[in-house]
Amino acid sequence: MKSNDGHDKFVRLAGYVDGELNAADRSAAESELTASPEARAALDIQVEMTRTSPLWAKAGIPEPSDAAWARTLNNIHAALEPATPAVNYRTQRSAGRWIGVAVAAAAVVFAALIFFPVGNEGDGRPLVADALTLVGADEVAIVSVQGDDAQAIVVGRPPLAGPLDLATVGDTVLDVIVIEGSDAPLKPVVPGKDPTKPIIVNPADKTTPVVP
Amino acid sequence: MADVPASPPPADDSDGQLLARFAAGDRSALDELFVRYRQPAFRVAYRLLGQEADALDAVQEGYVKALVNLDSFQGRSSFKTWLMRVVSNAAFDLGRKRGRRTGISLDAGDPDADVDPGLTTWDDPARGLGNADLRRALDAALATLPDAQRETFVLHADGELSYKEIADVLGISIGTVMSRLFYARQRLKLSLTEQATP
């Protein structure tokens, strides 16, 4: 609402309820409130809509889970790593099937190999012409553990004899690939007939896929 | 895998100290900055996007951009205000890409006009609404605000920034901040009332 002189008549009431006015403006606002029922009505609305009002508190925002926070932080770390590959993994949140198992032993990682379909898809059968390694064993971080209430998982006695298979095809989902500089996300195609067999690569030779 | 501290660190390094540690390669400094500001950053993004997963994406992108472009803010504002601004921008960008919260264009005319600040006959907009319903109603009401009003309102209400901090990060006057907040609240009240009216 604007007054006849073109100035916003009650705008300072926002600053009044937020405690943002200097002494002179606060005094002017109080005079206005004393004299004008309209000003008092406007003030009521300002008070009701402040961040400290019961209304706002009642409509509070749900808090993300610890796993969601951890995943976000890890993604930030990964994005800020100098050697971060130009591929981002977006985990599938809704189904909760992106399961990684955290272990105490450091540097336990796994690699996923994916394959792009090439050729004519018109016959309904994706053709896989070549394998493309998008990430190495040391470039994938485990970001969350889901299920159960375990705070720690015992994996053996150090030193560990070799790499651990931390996930299988059945509990790892790669749902989208985003390549920097491209607006179109790619749908991964991961061939594998037996979902119970792992697609883990040997960390010592990350170009060698073990695909069922 | 980085561990997420359960609560803010007791040592209370200043933001500047944490940023210096981060620049020196101390990854734990980022953890502390994350815990320190993740909640207001998330609230800002959530209010602008209305969905947790998208809001977390915006928070992630905001932290990355804020830290990659530290040179752009240092000396002009605090890290928090800089972060809130970047997260807000990230949320708007994400919202546009995904078609959410289109809101009212800034070019659609004077957003501050024709809002009667003195109406006294409105019903209580919260009447009969549960928490989730009320949150949805507020989300819908926020979506009706022009972008500038919505961003200013969210930075204040959820980002917990002062008028001066908002003015600094948006490059506007404190008076403009006050005006946007005033009219944003008026519009929110009106929208909530309309939603609550059968």
Side-chain angles (χ1 to χ4, degrees):
Chain A
M1 181 178 187
K2 292 180 171 60
S3 61
N4 290 337
D5 61 4
H7 290 88
D8 298 326
K9 191 174 180 182
F10 298 133
V11 160
R12 70 159 65 97
L13 294 178
Y16 182 75
V17 301
D18 291 327
E20 292 270 0
L21 297 184
N22 60 32
D25 284 340
R26 190 165 56 247
S27 177
E30 287 170 350
S31 296
E32 200 164 54
L33 289 167
T34 302
S36 167
E38 196 179 17
R40 290 195 291 276
L43 180 72
D44 288 343
I45 294 172
Q46 294 297 306
V47 169
E48 187 178 1
M49 292 293 138
T50 59
R51 61 189 176 197
T52 57
S53 72
L55 175 76
W56 212 246
K58 187 179 178 186
I61 293 172
E63 175 83 2
S65 66
D66 289 344
W69 283 129
R71 188 165 54 239
T72 302
L73 177 58
N74 275 284
N75 288 344
I76 295 168
H77 274 294
L80 292 171
E81 286 291 334
T84 298
V87 177
N88 297 320
Y89 287 84
R90 291 196 61 224
T91 55
Q92 184 163 332
R93 305 179 187 88
S94 56
R97 290 185 292 161
W98 186 182
I99 301 174
V101 181
V103 295
V108 177
V109 295
F110 70 90
L113 294 179
I114 67 167
F115 299 81
F116 289 105
V118 295
N120 181 13
E121 295 184 20
D123 61 2
R125 182 174 60 89
L127 301 176
V128 178
D130 195 9
L132 175 63
T133 303
L134 290 182
V135 292
D138 57 350
E139 295 168 335
V140 177
I142 298 165
V143 296
S144 68
V145 179
Q146 295 185 341
D148 301 328
D149 294 318
Q151 298 299 308
I153 299 171
V154 178
V155 297
R157 294 178 182 278
L160 297 173
L164 297 175
D165 292 349
L166 297 176
T168 67
V169 175
D171 55 24
T172 302
V173 173
L174 182 64
D175 68 343
V176 68
I177 305 164
V178 179
I179 298 187
E180 288 183 358
S182 172
D183 291 331
L186 299 173
K187 185 68 178 175
V189 175
V190 183
K193 295 179 180 177
D194 186 348
T196 65
K197 293 184 178 178
I199 56 170
I200 309 303
V201 298
N202 181 351
D205 179 10
K206 58 189 180 184
T207 65
T208 303
V210 181
V211 179
Chain B
M1 173 173 169
D3 294 326
V4 181
S7 58
D12 277 346
D13 278 350
S14 70
D15 288 355
Q17 289 170 316
L18 289 176
L19 290 171
R21 284 171 48 196
F22 171 75
D26 181 354
R27 289 167 58 92
S28 68
L30 170 55
D31 297 350
E32 293 182 29
L33 283 169
F34 182 74
V35 170
R36 189 169 290 183
Y37 298 121
R38 66 184 185 183
Q39 287 179 322
F42 174 76
R43 286 198 299 268
V44 166
Y46 186 93
R47 291 286 189 210
L48 293 174
L49 290 163
Q51 214 246 20
E52 178 180 316
D54 286 349
L56 286 171
D57 284 348
V59 169
Q60 175 183 323
E61 186 174 342
Y63 266 93
V64 171
K65 287 186 174 177
L67 291 169
V68 167
N69 299 294
L70 277 178
D71 290 345
S72 299
F73 101 95
Q74 282 179 336
R76 294 195 302 119
S77 62
S78 70
F79 178 73
K80 180 188 175 186
T81 58
W82 167 249
L83 176 67
M84 294 304 126
R85 171 61 167 165
V86 179
V87 167
S88 170
N89 284 344
F92 271 112
D93 288 344
L94 202 58
R96 291 187 189 103
K97 284 179 185 174
R98 301 182 182 177
R100 292 199 179 94
R101 298 287 175 89
T102 52
I104 300 170
S105 167
L106 288 174
D107 300 327
D110 179 4
D112 297 342
D114 301 328
V115 178
D116 185 348
L119 289 179
T120 57
T121 57
W122 292 343
D123 291 332
D124 175 6
R127 182 181 300 165
L129 295 178
N131 291 12
D133 291 335
L134 181 57
R135 188 164 57 244
R136 278 191 289 272
L138 271 172
D139 286 347
L142 277 167
T144 69
L145 297 181
D147 284 355
Q149 279 185 13
R150 186 159 78 251
E151 182 175 39
T152 304
F153 180 85
V154 168
L155 285 173
H156 184 259
D158 295 302
E160 300 174 352
L161 298 187
S162 69
Y163 283 20
K164 183 177 187 312
E165 288 171 327
I166 297 170
D168 286 345
V169 296
L170 296 184
I172 57 179
S173 70
I174 288 177
T176 301
V177 173
M178 197 182 307
S179 176
R180 287 181 182 178
L181 285 174
F182 178 82
Y183 287 108
R185 289 168 179 159
Q186 299 290 330
R187 284 178 178 271
L188 287 174
K189 173 75 175 181
L190 178 60
S191 179
L192 288 172
T193 303
E194 288 172 347
Q195 290 182 63
T197 302

